[in-house]
mmCIF file of all heavy atoms in Angstrom:
data_model
loop_
_atom_site.group_PDB
_atom_site.id
_atom_site.type_symbol
_atom_site.label_atom_id
_atom_site.label_comp_id
_atom_site.label_asym_id
_atom_site.label_seq_id
_atom_site.Cartn_x
_atom_site.Cartn_y
_atom_site.Cartn_z
ATOM 1 N N ALA A 304 -0.404 19.711 8.488
ATOM 2 C CA ALA A 304 -1.444 20.663 8.853
ATOM 3 C C ALA A 304 -1.342 21.907 7.977
ATOM 4 O O ALA A 304 -0.251 22.354 7.616
ATOM 5 C CB ALA A 304 -1.300 21.045 10.313
ATOM 6 N N GLY A 308 -2.240 23.160 14.328
ATOM 7 C CA GLY A 308 -2.119 21.719 14.445
ATOM 8 C C GLY A 308 -1.407 21.309 15.718
ATOM 9 O O GLY A 308 -0.914 22.146 16.477
ATOM 10 N N CYS A 309 -1.368 20.008 15.899
ATOM 11 C CA CYS A 309 -0.778 19.463 17.118
ATOM 12 C C CYS A 309 0.646 18.993 16.833
ATOM 13 O O CYS A 309 1.164 19.147 15.741
ATOM 14 C CB CYS A 309 -1.637 18.296 17.617
ATOM 15 S SG CYS A 309 -1.631 16.907 16.473
ATOM 16 N N ARG A 310 1.241 18.347 17.821
ATOM 17 C CA ARG A 310 2.607 17.876 17.677
ATOM 18 C C ARG A 310 2.720 16.864 16.525
ATOM 19 O O ARG A 310 3.730 16.760 15.862
ATOM 20 C CB ARG A 310 3.029 17.220 18.990
ATOM 21 C CG ARG A 310 4.514 17.022 19.086
ATOM 22 C CD ARG A 310 4.886 16.397 20.390
ATOM 23 N NE ARG A 310 4.810 17.345 21.489
ATOM 24 C CZ ARG A 310 5.204 17.079 22.724
ATOM 25 N NH1 ARG A 310 5.665 15.878 23.011
ATOM 26 N NH2 ARG A 310 5.114 17.976 23.662
ATOM 27 N N LYS A 311 1.658 16.120 16.298
ATOM 28 C CA LYS A 311 1.680 15.090 15.260
ATOM 29 C C LYS A 311 1.641 15.692 13.856
ATOM 30 O O LYS A 311 2.417 15.318 12.998
ATOM 31 C CB LYS A 311 0.478 14.165 15.462
ATOM 32 C CG LYS A 311 0.345 13.064 14.413
ATOM 33 C CD LYS A 311 -0.868 12.190 14.748
ATOM 34 C CE LYS A 311 -1.204 11.232 13.616
ATOM 35 N NZ LYS A 311 -0.242 10.132 13.510
ATOM 36 N N CYS A 312 0.736 16.647 13.624
ATOM 37 C CA CYS A 312 0.503 17.081 12.248
ATOM 38 C C CYS A 312 1.254 18.353 11.876
ATOM 39 O O CYS A 312 1.377 18.673 10.698
ATOM 40 C CB CYS A 312 -0.995 17.256 12.004
ATOM 41 S SG CYS A 312 -1.779 18.497 13.030
ATOM 42 N N ARG A 313 1.759 19.086 12.862
ATOM 43 C CA ARG A 313 2.424 20.358 12.552
ATOM 44 C C ARG A 313 3.650 20.138 11.670
ATOM 45 O O ARG A 313 3.908 20.888 10.755
ATOM 46 C CB ARG A 313 2.830 21.029 13.864
ATOM 47 C CG ARG A 313 3.155 22.494 13.719
ATOM 48 C CD ARG A 313 3.262 23.159 15.073
ATOM 49 N NE ARG A 313 3.561 22.161 16.105
ATOM 50 C CZ ARG A 313 3.475 22.383 17.421
ATOM 51 N NH1 ARG A 313 3.129 23.553 17.873
ATOM 52 N NH2 ARG A 313 3.758 21.444 18.282
ATOM 53 N N PHE A 316 3.058 14.105 8.882
ATOM 54 C CA PHE A 316 3.037 12.715 9.332
ATOM 55 C C PHE A 316 2.684 11.848 8.134
ATOM 56 O O PHE A 316 2.160 12.317 7.137
ATOM 57 C CB PHE A 316 2.041 12.529 10.481
ATOM 58 C CG PHE A 316 0.616 12.877 10.145
ATOM 59 C CD1 PHE A 316 -0.285 11.893 9.796
ATOM 60 C CD2 PHE A 316 0.181 14.208 10.182
ATOM 61 C CE1 PHE A 316 -1.595 12.213 9.488
ATOM 62 C CE2 PHE A 316 -1.127 14.536 9.877
ATOM 63 C CZ PHE A 316 -2.019 13.538 9.520
ATOM 64 N N CYS A 330 -6.594 15.945 10.817
ATOM 65 C CA CYS A 330 -5.618 15.216 11.611
ATOM 66 C C CYS A 330 -6.369 14.251 12.533
ATOM 67 O O CYS A 330 -7.301 14.657 13.216
ATOM 68 C CB CYS A 330 -4.811 16.212 12.444
ATOM 69 S SG CYS A 330 -3.766 15.420 13.669
ATOM 70 N N PRO A 331 -5.960 12.980 12.542
ATOM 71 C CA PRO A 331 -6.651 12.023 13.422
ATOM 72 C C PRO A 331 -6.443 12.321 14.899
ATOM 73 O O PRO A 331 -7.213 11.881 15.738
ATOM 74 C CB PRO A 331 -6.040 10.666 13.040
ATOM 75 C CG PRO A 331 -4.844 10.954 12.211
ATOM 76 C CD PRO A 331 -4.927 12.356 11.710
ATOM 77 N N ALA A 332 -5.406 13.103 15.214
ATOM 78 C CA ALA A 332 -5.124 13.397 16.626
ATOM 79 C C ALA A 332 -5.869 14.641 17.112
ATOM 80 O O ALA A 332 -6.466 14.635 18.175
ATOM 81 C CB ALA A 332 -3.624 13.561 16.828
ATOM 82 N N CYS A 333 -5.839 15.727 16.332
ATOM 83 C CA CYS A 333 -6.402 16.978 16.844
ATOM 84 C C CYS A 333 -7.573 17.493 16.013
ATOM 85 O O CYS A 333 -8.264 18.423 16.428
ATOM 86 C CB CYS A 333 -5.315 18.056 16.927
ATOM 87 S SG CYS A 333 -4.744 18.608 15.309
ATOM 88 N N GLY A 334 -7.817 16.933 14.830
ATOM 89 C CA GLY A 334 -8.977 17.343 14.052
ATOM 90 C C GLY A 334 -8.775 18.588 13.207
ATOM 91 O O GLY A 334 -9.700 19.025 12.533
ATOM 92 N N LYS A 335 -7.578 19.157 13.202
ATOM 93 C CA LYS A 335 -7.304 20.315 12.344
ATOM 94 C C LYS A 335 -7.208 19.879 10.885
ATOM 95 O O LYS A 335 -6.870 18.732 10.603
ATOM 96 C CB LYS A 335 -5.967 20.957 12.745
ATOM 97 C CG LYS A 335 -6.011 21.632 14.083
ATOM 98 C CD LYS A 335 -6.234 23.109 13.921
ATOM 99 C CE LYS A 335 -6.108 23.790 15.288
ATOM 100 N NZ LYS A 335 -6.540 25.180 15.240
ATOM 101 N N VAL A 337 -5.851 19.095 7.371
ATOM 102 C CA VAL A 337 -4.537 18.711 6.856
ATOM 103 C C VAL A 337 -4.601 18.611 5.328
ATOM 104 O O VAL A 337 -5.672 18.490 4.748
ATOM 105 C CB VAL A 337 -4.036 17.375 7.447
ATOM 106 C CG1 VAL A 337 -3.752 17.492 8.930
ATOM 107 C CG2 VAL A 337 -5.018 16.245 7.162
HETATM 108 ZN ZN1 LIG B 1161 -2.984 17.311 14.676
#
Side-chain angles (χ1 to χ4, degrees):
C309 65
R310 195 179 285 186
K311 178 178 170 73
C312 62
R313 197 168 23 193
F316 60 98
C330 170
C333 69
K335 291 262 187 190
V337 293

